[in-house]
Amino acid sequence: MRILLTGGAGFIGSHIAQAALACGWDVTVLDSLEPAVHPRLSDIDPRLRFLKGDVGDRETVAVALDGADVVVHQSAKVGLGVDFSDAPDYVRNNDLATAVLLAGMAEAGIGALVLASSMVVYGEGAYTSVGGQLVRPGPRRASDLAAGIFDPRHPETGELLTPALLDEDARLDPRNVYAASKLAQEHLASAWARSTGGRAIALRYHNVYGPRMPKNTPYAGVASLFRSALSRGEAPRVFEDGGQRRSFIHVADVAAANISAVQALQAGNGRQFRAFNVGANEVHTVGDVARALSEAAGGPPPVVTGEFRLGDVRHITASSDRIKSELGWAPQRGFEDGMKEFALAPLRGESQVSNS
């Protein structure tokens, strides 16, 4: 099988590339090699067919697609952004580039796509009321956050809500530019599938961590920020009270989910467009991550700051039952072992980074 892997030199993409090579597949990687988060060209696995270029360029995409059976689309601008001035970059790199890729696939007659999506399309997570009813809250109140009340309230009664797992049928509610761009990618993929008769799987990654994460940048995930602080000898700084619940999933498990999705598309089973959560079996808090990394690295204990950012999500945790039952995937890396490995693993941008 021949796959085109966009963003295949990046954090998640490089792990997918290795997993695909282990399957015996021919892999073409298309990546722009953004200097802040990518290795040198000499670090790219020589078994890959590598093309340096922009997914938003039609001619480059046409060359990259030549001979491909399946496209695994990981290339994107990630993170929640610094401010709204980032919006054009997100739309250009995530949505326009995806449209160019899908148009190229339609012209080349390639009918199978795996899309990297994200938990951010849901907005705030699922909650239940005191009576056990499922509730989707609105944005948290600034006055509550300032008073140290971090859990969201019932939009009608004002009672504080209890977090629950959400599934793929939950209402989609993107609350920042990055989230809006990821949902737009899903809509584009669904429209492409209907128009061309192709089939697409969107994998909604939850909090991915592991070796080769980019080091400290304004767009990095929380695990990477904590890890970067520890590498500088500083204590991880935890916002709010550290009780934010997440589903932290190891990058090797995310790579395996992509392999399962490619195999499902090649088997020809399922719907034209299908979304799957990709999350861990267990729920942990942001504070849990900070403590686990500090202990494993022998660094200073975390500092819980009480600081907050308007628009941040309090709790979002996934049910991954659908991908387990339909694609036969399940995470293999436990939280404690994964965090111990991550605490000592090199990050992207550090001198010892490689694809090995």
Side-chain angles (χ1 to χ4, degrees):
M1 177 161 26
R2 299 182 66 181
I3 70 169
L4 169 62
L5 174 59
T6 71
F11 164 44
I12 297 174
S14 66
H15 287 271
I16 296 171
Q18 288 189 323
L21 290 170
C23 291
W25 301 345
D26 292 328
V27 182
T28 296
V29 165
L30 174 59
D31 199 296
S32 64
L33 291 185
E34 176 64 29
V37 294
H38 289 79
R40 301 177 302 274
L41 182 58
S42 60
D43 293 323
I44 304 298
D45 192 310
R47 294 174 294 171
L48 301 168
R49 176 194 178 211
F50 181 78
L51 299 174
K52 182 179 179 180
D54 182 357
V55 181
D57 181 76
R58 286 178 177 268
E59 293 183 3
T60 300
V61 165
V63 172
L65 287 169
D66 185 37
D69 301 306
V70 181
V71 174
V72 180
H73 184 30
Q74 304 293 309
S75 174
K77 183 179 177 70
V78 301
L80 301 184
V82 176
D83 53 44
F84 203 82
S85 64
D86 285 330
D89 280 343
Y90 280 105
V91 173
R92 164 65 176 78
N93 288 288
N94 297 355
D95 302 333
L96 176 60
T98 298
V100 169
L101 177 66
L102 293 172
M105 291 175 65
E107 292 169 3
I110 300 169
L113 171 72
V114 179
L115 171 68
S117 187
S118 171
M119 66 176 187
V120 296
V121 300
Y122 296 112
E124 194 69 56
Y127 294 83
T128 57
S129 65
V130 172
Q133 292 84 17
L134 190 65
V135 178
R136 293 301 301 274
R140 293 181 289 169
R141 303 172 184 174
S143 58
D144 277 349
L145 295 172
I149 301 171
F150 298 117
D151 285 326
R153 296 182 182 273
H154 193 296
E156 297 176 1
T157 68
E159 69 181 83
L160 294 176
L161 298 170
T162 300
L165 298 180
L166 55 76
D167 63 22
E168 294 85 352
D169 294 325
R171 178 171 58 90
L172 304 180
D173 182 24
R175 296 189 177 186
N176 54 59
V177 172
Y178 172 59
S181 74
K182 296 307 289 184
L183 183 55
Q185 284 184 301
E186 288 197 20
H187 289 324
L188 287 166
S190 179
W192 163 84
R194 287 194 301 270
S195 174
T196 65
R199 296 176 61 246
I201 288 174
L203 299 177
R204 293 173 179 165
Y205 303 155
H206 283 247
N207 290 78
V208 186
Y209 73 95
R212 305 182 208 144
M213 283 190 84
K215 67 178 182 179
N216 189 21
T217 77
Y219 304 94
V222 65
S224 178
L225 295 175
F226 293 161
R227 170 67 176 73
S228 294
L230 288 164
S231 70
R232 299 190 301 269
E234 301 171 3
R237 294 179 60 82
V238 181
F239 278 20
E240 301 185 11
D241 60 357
Q244 306 95 310
R245 290 160 52 100
R246 296 291 187 271
S247 182
F248 291 94
I249 181 74
H250 194 279
V251 66
D253 287 324
V254 172
N258 278 269
I259 299 301
S260 294
V262 170
Q263 292 169 335
L265 289 172
Q266 286 299 101
N269 300 323
R271 306 180 187 183
Q272 277 194 313
F273 178 84
R274 191 71 161 156
F276 296 95
N277 287 332
V278 180
N281 286 327
E282 65 279 348
V283 172
H284 287 89
T285 67
V286 170
D288 291 338
V289 173
R291 285 188 294 273
L293 291 175
S294 292
E295 291 172 4
V303 175
V304 178
T305 68
E307 295 175 80
F308 61 88
R309 295 177 298 191
L310 289 175
D312 275 3
V313 169
R314 174 61 173 174
H315 304 297
I316 179 164
T317 51
S319 166
S320 298
D321 288 347
R322 176 184 288 182
I323 191 171
K324 291 175 182 177
S325 64
E326 296 186 17
L327 301 190
W329 171 90
Q332 302 299 312
R333 299 292 184 96
F335 179 81
E336 295 298 333
D337 289 342
M339 287 295 164
K340 287 177 182 176
E341 174 201 32
F342 180 52
L344 302 175
L347 301 181
R348 283 293 172 96
E350 295 179 340
S351 60
Q352 65 267 54
V353 73
S354 74
N355 271 352
S356 62

